[in-house]
Amino acid sequence: MDVMDGILVINKPAGMTSHDVINRLRKKYKQKKFGHAGTLDPMASGVLVVLAGKAAKLLQFLPDTDKEYTAQIQLGKSYDTDDIWGQETGSRPVSMDFDFAAELEKFKGPLHQKVPAVSAKKVNGKKLMEYQRNDQPVPEVYADVEVYDIQPLDQEKLEFKVSCSSGTYIRSICRDFGENTNNLAAMSSLIRTKACGFDISQAEDLDAEAHTLHDMTEILSFLPKVAFDPIADIYNGKSVHVNTPYDRILMMDQDKPVAIYDRHHKDVFSCARGGFA
């Protein structure tokens, strides 16, 4: 079987880790070089962008600002994970004395968000979940994130859609929604509907007989393209002079990406990552 170089868009099933998906693909295609952009929690489903072969070199360059999710909130109980798959920590009668859309709107914009106690966020070299597992006091950690848009989808199910920056915890939004409405609350469902320029309509079943292999240029469409001459200099990783207002560019050989170049100084660009062709 030929080596795959490109992008797969998988609809990750709930109940699997993102790494489980990668292992399944490695076995299916008999290829070791697979990576993914943006880990999804095991109980979440939706868009998982998988980088195959040479495309795995692109991970550090991918934009991480266009993630979109649909989620549901459960009221009446709290959990140590801030979702319903954790250990229950409390219960309280439900109050529905709120305007769902108005409460969601409060999360729009920059947020100084409290990170869930059960998470991979590190403090002093140790994940918060490790403090919790060892019955140690869990440090309170806050992250500065941004919610670009948040809209109600179903008032009865307390379902909403949110687009946000990397590092935003949807679990925390659900938990804080409860606090804001005099409730205990947790996330009860999470589907990622968009990531790295791909949306859920393009995501394919993990167990599909074959998967669509997207070209690397699709995931790099945000970068301005430059056809440099002589192209041999780019293949050899040489620093070059380019007259462009952009600080990062994608060097192309006809319709194929060859390398990503960053501005070094003035009009001199140096290779940030090559070896795509």
Side-chain angles (χ1 to χ4, degrees):
M1 184 178 291
D2 294 335
V3 174
M4 298 174 67
D5 294 313
I7 313 298
L8 305 179
V9 185
I10 303 297
N11 190 347
K12 187 190 88 66
M16 295 182 70
T17 68
S18 300
H19 193 63
D20 289 338
V21 172
I22 296 301
N23 283 339
R24 184 84 65 87
L25 292 171
R26 284 172 177 162
K27 290 177 182 177
K28 178 180 178 67
Y29 291 107
K30 298 179 174 59
Q31 176 174 320
K32 288 186 177 180
K33 278 196 173 182
F34 281 102
H36 64 81
T39 301
L40 269 174
D41 287 342
M43 298 314 297
S45 63
V47 176
L48 185 69
V49 176
V50 176
L51 312 174
K54 293 177 181 177
K57 298 179 180 181
L58 302 177
L59 184 58
Q60 70 189 92
F61 300 99
L62 300 185
D64 212 12
T65 57
D66 65 344
K67 290 180 180 176
E68 185 180 88
Y69 301 87
T70 61
Q72 290 184 28
I73 303 169
Q74 175 185 284
L75 299 180
K77 294 181 179 180
S78 61
Y79 299 82
D80 60 356
T81 55
D82 295 326
D83 60 36
I84 63 170
W85 300 284
Q87 186 73 34
E88 185 179 328
T89 56
S91 63
R92 185 189 302 168
V94 172
S95 167
M96 295 299 294
D97 185 22
F98 58 81
D99 182 314
F100 187 39
E103 290 298 331
L104 290 177
E105 184 71 17
K106 294 177 181 178
F107 292 97
K108 191 172 180 180
L111 282 181
H112 190 57
Q113 185 183 64
K114 184 180 178 181
V115 175
V118 179
S119 71
K121 195 79 171 179
K122 288 186 176 181
V123 174
N124 298 323
K126 188 160 63 173
K127 296 176 182 178
L128 293 185
M129 65 178 69
E130 293 174 345
Y131 286 92
Q132 194 260 358
R133 286 173 185 165
N134 296 330
D135 291 326
Q136 295 175 308
V138 180
E140 286 195 359
V141 179
Y142 289 81
D144 291 314
V145 298
E146 186 167 2
V147 171
Y148 305 122
D149 193 31
I150 186 165
Q151 298 291 335
L153 295 177
D154 189 315
Q155 169 97 29
E156 186 175 334
K157 295 179 180 178
L158 296 182
E159 183 179 30
F160 64 95
K161 177 175 70 173
V162 57
S163 58
C164 53
S165 66
S166 176
T168 304
Y169 286 91
I170 312 303
R171 290 182 280 157
S172 293
I173 291 177
C174 296
R175 177 202 64 216
D176 293 345
F177 180 94
E179 292 182 3
N180 293 346
T181 59
N182 195 32
N183 282 291
L184 295 179
M187 185 180 74
S188 59
S189 172
L190 182 67
I191 303 171
R192 186 156 67 195
T193 53
K194 186 177 179 183
C196 299
F198 296 98
D199 64 42
I200 194 73
S201 68
Q202 297 167 285
E204 298 175 319
D205 190 85
L206 176 60
D207 293 324
E209 186 174 339
H211 295 103
T212 302
L213 187 66
H214 298 266
D215 190 85
M216 283 186 275
T217 53
E218 288 189 51
I219 207 167
L220 294 174
S221 60
F222 66 98
L223 287 176
K225 298 176 178 62
V226 172
F228 187 83
D229 186 33
I231 193 63
D233 285 353
I234 306 304
Y235 280 102
N236 292 327
K238 292 184 178 179
S239 294
V240 296
H241 292 267
V242 182
N243 182 17
T244 177
Y246 303 104
D247 291 327
R248 173 168 286 172
I249 54 179
L250 180 63
M251 295 296 199
M252 303 289 293
D253 184 359
Q254 297 182 37
D255 61 345
K256 294 181 180 180
V258 178
I260 293 173
Y261 268 61
D262 286 345
R263 187 184 302 277
H264 186 270
H265 65 277
K266 296 184 179 180
D267 68 344
V268 177
F269 282 72
S270 57
C271 182
R273 172 60 80 175
F276 301 150

